[in-house]
Amino acid sequence: LFRSPDNEAERLLALQRYGVLDTPQEIAFDRITQLAARLFDVPMAFVSLIDRDRQWFKSCIGLDDSETNRDTAFCAHAILSPTPLIVDDAFQDLRFRDNPAVTGSPFVRFYAGAPLTTREGYNLGTLCIADTKVRSLRADQIQTLVDLSCIVVDELELRLGYRARAMFQKVCEISPNLIYLYKRVKFERTFLGPHLVETLGYDRSVPAADLLPEIVHPEDLPRLYKHLGQLELLERGP
């Protein structure tokens, strides 16, 4: 049986926050597993997420199943550590030699999984590869697997950001307040609340920079421009 991480409750909350479980396949994740399979010349590669009682695949090469029981998942062991789990020969590993995925289809002998670690330190699952024959990885290959796992996490973060922005825009659309949202660096308008347009009669096609002097009180404009200029310098970096 699997052992849960010490931060299991918080980890599961983090996983739910990403809203990715049971969503359709996405090409961004499929490209990563396809690349992993080619780079390591293996028949199986997965983006695996460990839920409370199951292992669910956001992307899967080499298996028809979309999920498995957590208690038989190699990845349930891989999320216990911040470093990759490498199993050269599952028959020689007491944890896995009687595993049904080893003794039966898909007959896993080799497994390597790098945890999908969020910025808060939660291991949501793994990017993993597997083979039906004994294998070993060099140090540089293990680092490549880690790098690919970081790309998966980046995609999850992007997905979370898209969801947050979409939710924020929905709130703006139903809010009775006058809302004006713009990019802070180049003053490019990204959203005008419907009540702002209806109440003040602003044209959505008007550049945001032209609207700022009308929306902001004249006495506040110098301070606003100074603040935005400082933000622009911070974003540019040294």
Side-chain angles (χ1 to χ4, degrees):
L1 294 176
F2 64 86
R3 178 169 65 86
S4 296
D6 293 337
N7 61 359
E8 177 68 355
E10 295 83 1
R11 189 193 71 81
L12 287 172
L13 286 175
L15 178 59
Q16 292 296 327
R17 188 172 67 249
Y18 281 86
V20 67
L21 291 173
D22 298 312
T23 58
Q25 284 185 272
E26 295 179 52
I27 188 62
F29 296 97
D30 289 342
R31 282 174 176 156
I32 298 171
T33 51
Q34 290 164 5
L35 178 60
R38 289 198 302 271
L39 282 174
F40 294 98
D41 191 23
V42 292
M44 292 172 276
F46 318 101
V47 171
S48 166
L49 298 169
I50 302 300
D51 199 4
R52 188 180 307 277
D53 300 308
R54 61 174 177 157
Q55 169 182 237
W56 181 79
F57 301 120
K58 177 59 179 174
S59 180
C60 178
I61 291 177
L63 277 182
D64 294 329
D65 297 330
S66 61
E67 63 181 66
T68 70
N69 291 329
R70 181 172 174 175
D71 58 4
T72 61
F74 281 63
C75 298
H77 295 265
I79 66 169
L80 299 176
S81 170
T83 58
L85 172 64
I86 311 295
V87 181
D88 293 344
D89 185 353
F91 279 160
Q92 304 302 318
D93 193 307
L94 294 177
R95 295 169 295 179
F96 304 114
R97 66 184 184 185
D98 296 323
N99 189 295
V102 175
T103 59
S105 181
F107 300 100
V108 173
R109 291 292 297 275
F110 163 80
Y111 168 91
L116 304 176
T117 307
T118 68
R119 285 175 288 189
E120 297 80 16
Y122 301 119
N123 291 339
L124 305 181
T126 70
L127 172 69
C128 58
I129 56 175
D131 203 340
T132 56
K133 58 186 179 182
V134 177
R135 298 279 296 270
S136 62
L137 295 181
R138 301 185 309 271
D140 63 304
Q141 291 177 307
I142 295 174
Q143 184 58 52
T144 296
L145 189 66
V146 171
D147 291 341
L148 290 173
S149 74
C150 292
I151 295 174
V152 173
V153 175
D154 289 343
E155 287 294 336
L156 289 172
E157 291 290 344
L158 285 172
R159 198 176 185 284
L160 183 62
Y162 293 147
R163 290 179 66 242
R165 284 192 291 275
M167 183 176 297
F168 178 73
Q169 181 158 331
K170 287 182 180 178
V171 171
C172 289
E173 288 173 350
I174 64 175
S175 172
N177 298 309
L178 306 183
I179 297 174
Y180 174 57
L181 179 67
Y182 59 91
K183 292 182 181 179
R184 63 190 183 189
V185 177
K186 295 183 179 179
F187 314 120
E188 296 174 3
R189 176 188 54 77
T190 56
F191 179 75
L192 288 178
H195 290 284
L196 184 70
V197 176
E198 295 170 5
T199 304
L200 302 181
Y202 289 128
D203 186 344
R204 290 178 183 270
S205 65
V206 175
D210 295 341
L211 288 180
L212 276 179
E214 298 184 37
I215 294 175
V216 180
H217 192 281
E219 294 181 3
D220 294 327
L221 276 174
R223 184 173 55 186
L224 173 64
Y225 285 132
K226 179 180 178 181
H227 178 63
L228 292 174
Q230 291 171 341
L231 289 176
E232 183 175 359
L233 289 175
L234 287 175
E235 289 192 350
R236 287 178 179 176

